[in-house]
Amino acid sequence: MKTSFFTITIVLLCSTLPLSLSQRCNVKDQITLLRLKNSLGNPNVLATWTSSSDCCKWHFVECDPYNDRIKSLTIFSGDISSTIPDTIGNLPYLETLILRKLTNLTGQIPVTITKLTHLKTLTISWTNLSGPIPSFLSQLKTLTTLDLSYNNFNGSIPPELATLPNLENLHLDRNELTGPIPDSFGNFTRKVPAIYLSHNLLTGTVPRSLAQVNFTSLDLSRNKLQGDLSVFFGMNKTIQTADFSRNMFEFNFSAMNEFPASLSVLDLNHNSIYGNLPEALTRLQLQALNVSYNRLCGEIPVGGRLQNYDNTAYFHNRCLCGFPLTACF
Ligand SMILES: *[C@@H]1O[C@H](CO)[C@@H](O)[C@H](O)[C@H]1NC(C)=O
Ligand SMILES: *[C@@H]1O[C@H](CO)[C@@H](O)[C@H](O)[C@H]1NC(C)=O
Ligand SMILES: *[C@@H]1O[C@H](CO)[C@@H](O)[C@H](O)[C@H]1NC(C)=O
Ligand SMILES: *[C@@H]1O[C@H](CO)[C@@H](O)[C@H](O)[C@H]1NC(C)=O
Ligand SMILES: *[C@@H]1O[C@H](CO)[C@@H](O)[C@H](O)[C@H]1NC(C)=O
Ligand SMILES: *[C@@H]1O[C@H](CO)[C@@H](O)[C@H](O)[C@H]1NC(C)=O
Ligand SMILES: *[C@@H]1O[C@H](CO)[C@@H](O)[C@H](O)[C@H]1NC(C)=O
Ligand SMILES: *[C@@H]1O[C@H](CO)[C@@H](O)[C@H](O)[C@H]1NC(C)=O
């Protein structure tokens, strides 16, 4: 009898508690999000954000199951015509912030973002944000992904980004960035991120310091970079995917005769690379190779995968010959 009385009491308590605490969402977070909505001009896309409902159930947000604080804010598209409000910095437990396909989102990245000390993923992509990529982003030490691709950012790449200890992916592609690749990118220590810098206006030579690090994925295509690429190659390197196409690289390819076994994609099209194709390329398990539109000469070495690609991988060179191009004489 005793136990059943307690059981009933506990069952009653449990069924009434959720009613009295029907608001799972943290009140501070709710106030911040409502302010954010207001600063964003109360867009239709945030219609579920109302004071009468639990903010853990609103669209685009996610609460942490342990402390019920807002952990993720992800807006993929919508009628937002505004700048990023300073209020964004008042969601201290945010780990993921994704603002994507918001073409009327304008202005610069607010400094208050540095208050988000738990942020792991910061994606601001396909927006109309402009101005510099701020060096203060290097204060976000927990970042693993920084994606600022497809915006109007200009100015140079802040060297301080190389001090982000946990960075795994850095996407700065499709902006209007100028200046060189920072020397500091040879200083990524704990982790070396996959780096995407394509479709910008970067100039200068690839810094020698980059020889000190093991890259896995690099996309430097469609810039105005010069010099040679020897810092990425050599037996002891670990690069897998390398796109250096559509730049102004100019070097003697024959002189490069050691490539890492890890190399699987190499795109060098539209540069000014001269000399012969190195024999060492036949020893690689390349999934893709493109050396078209350069100034290469001589016979395409026979072996490995080099005869697996169609002629467009090799065409438009000075005097490259042999299968799949026409025979050498
Ligand atoms: C962006 O702004 C333009 C001009 O004010 C407007 O025509 C367009 O509908 C807006 N786009 C979105 C997705 O809100
Ligand atoms: C995007 O920003 C540019 C200037 O940076 C401006 O000319 C253009 O109108 C903006 N587009 C939208 C959709 O706001
Ligand atoms: C970036 O673009 C803005 C607006 O077009 C311009 O005023 C500024 O000078 C540019 N900054 C750099 C470093 O090119
Ligand atoms: C790279 O790191 C070393 C050691 O921390 C430092 O002395 C050097 O100035 C850094 N180089 C660049 C270009 O940031
Ligand atoms: C790069 O990777 C190679 C092969 O795994 C290793 O031997 C070398 O020590 C690494 N270098 C650096 C700077 O981490
Ligand atoms: C490659 O690494 C091996 C062993 O780790 C070392 O003996 C050799 O000197 C390195 N070669 C180059 C070119 O760094
Ligand atoms: C390229 O390098 C090779 C071998 O190192 C050399 O024989 C050749 O003359 C060089 N070609 C040019 C155009 O410098
Ligand atoms: C190589 O690149 C050229 C230029 O972009 C392109 O036309 C061609 O289709 C590519 N070929 C291969 C096999 O990737």
Side-chain angles (χ1 to χ4, degrees):
M1 287 303 275
K2 236 180 188 177
T3 41
S4 68
F5 170 77
F6 278 114
T7 314
I8 288 163
T9 314
I10 286 163
V11 167
L12 274 174
L13 265 176
C14 288
S15 57
T16 52
L17 264 176
L19 281 177
S20 53
L21 297 176
S22 66
Q23 174 88 1
R24 192 187 137 203
C25 175
N26 180 282
V27 177
K28 283 186 198 159
D29 287 349
Q30 181 172 25
I31 291 169
T32 299
L33 288 171
L34 287 171
R35 283 199 183 128
L36 200 64
K37 176 183 176 181
N38 190 49
S39 304
L40 290 170
N42 296 312
N44 287 328
V45 73
L46 301 181
T48 58
W49 294 20
T50 63
S51 53
S52 56
S53 58
D54 182 350
C55 74
C56 290
K57 293 182 179 148
W58 293 354
H59 283 163
F60 313 118
V61 297
E62 200 187 307
C63 288
D64 190 310
Y66 296 103
N67 61 10
D68 290 340
R69 301 300 299 254
I70 298 292
K71 181 171 108 171
S72 161
L73 172 58
T74 299
I75 306 178
F76 272 105
S77 67
D79 58 336
I80 290 175
S81 297
S82 163
T83 56
I84 300 178
D86 286 343
T87 333
I88 200 78
N90 297 342
L91 295 167
Y93 290 85
L94 210 56
E95 290 176 17
T96 302
L97 174 59
I98 299 177
L99 302 171
R100 203 164 177 276
K101 292 248 165 101
L102 299 166
T103 49
N104 288 352
L105 189 69
T106 56
Q108 303 197 1
I109 299 179
V111 69
T112 52
I113 215 160
T114 57
K115 292 198 280 174
L116 304 176
T117 53
H118 291 87
L119 206 58
K120 291 184 183 146
T121 297
L122 175 60
T123 297
I124 302 173
S125 185
W126 295 89
T127 76
N128 205 13
L129 254 69
S130 57
I133 291 181
S135 56
F136 58 66
L137 293 178
S138 66
Q139 293 171 34
L140 296 168
K141 296 297 180 204
T142 47
L143 274 189
T144 58
T145 294
L146 177 59
D147 182 352
L148 302 176
S149 61
Y150 290 88
N151 295 295
N152 299 328
F153 291 117
N154 69 356
S156 51
I157 299 173
E160 294 85 352
L161 294 182
T163 64
L164 287 169
N166 299 302
L167 202 58
E168 289 167 15
N169 293 289
L170 177 63
H171 293 262
L172 304 179
D173 46 306
R174 306 259 180 178
N175 281 290
E176 289 153 26
L177 301 175
T178 52
I181 298 173
D183 280 342
S184 65
F185 277 25
N187 258 5
F188 282 106
T189 42
R190 278 212 267 156
K191 283 211 170 106
V192 182
I195 296 181
Y196 304 87
L197 304 177
S198 74
H199 289 84
N200 279 294
L201 304 162
L202 301 174
T203 53
T205 58
V206 171
R208 303 306 302 173
S209 60
L210 300 199
Q212 300 160 28
V213 285
N214 280 331
F215 291 98
T216 50
S217 255
L218 257 186
D219 185 356
L220 306 182
S221 65
R222 295 188 191 245
N223 280 289
K224 296 172 174 179
L225 296 163
Q226 289 172 292
D228 75 41
L229 296 166
S230 52
V231 294
F232 301 116
F233 302 131
M235 281 301 198
N236 287 354
K237 296 300 168 57
T238 53
I239 197 157
Q240 293 164 14
T241 304
D243 190 347
F244 302 121
S245 65
R246 295 181 194 257
N247 275 286
M248 293 156 67
F249 292 117
E250 187 169 359
F251 57 89
N252 184 348
F253 212 178
S254 334
M256 249 177 227
N257 44 29
E258 282 191 342
F259 295 94
S262 54
L263 192 61
S264 80
V265 174
L266 179 60
D267 197 342
L268 298 171
N269 86 72
H270 284 94
N271 281 289
S272 302
I273 304 166
Y274 56 92
N276 297 352
L277 277 182
E279 188 77 34
L281 289 174
T282 63
R283 294 191 285 276
L284 299 176
Q285 297 298 308
L286 286 171
Q287 280 163 28
L289 172 73
N290 198 331
V291 296
S292 66
Y293 296 91
N294 277 289
R295 297 186 195 153
L296 296 164
C297 262
E299 184 163 19
I300 297 169
V302 177
R305 301 240 175 121
L306 294 194
Q307 276 64 44
N308 294 15
Y309 315 111
D310 65 57
N311 67 316
T312 67
Y314 300 106
F315 69 175
H316 292 277
N317 273 286
R318 185 167 283 167
C319 51
L320 210 53
C321 60
F323 191 80
L325 297 179
T326 52
C328 304
F329 292 102

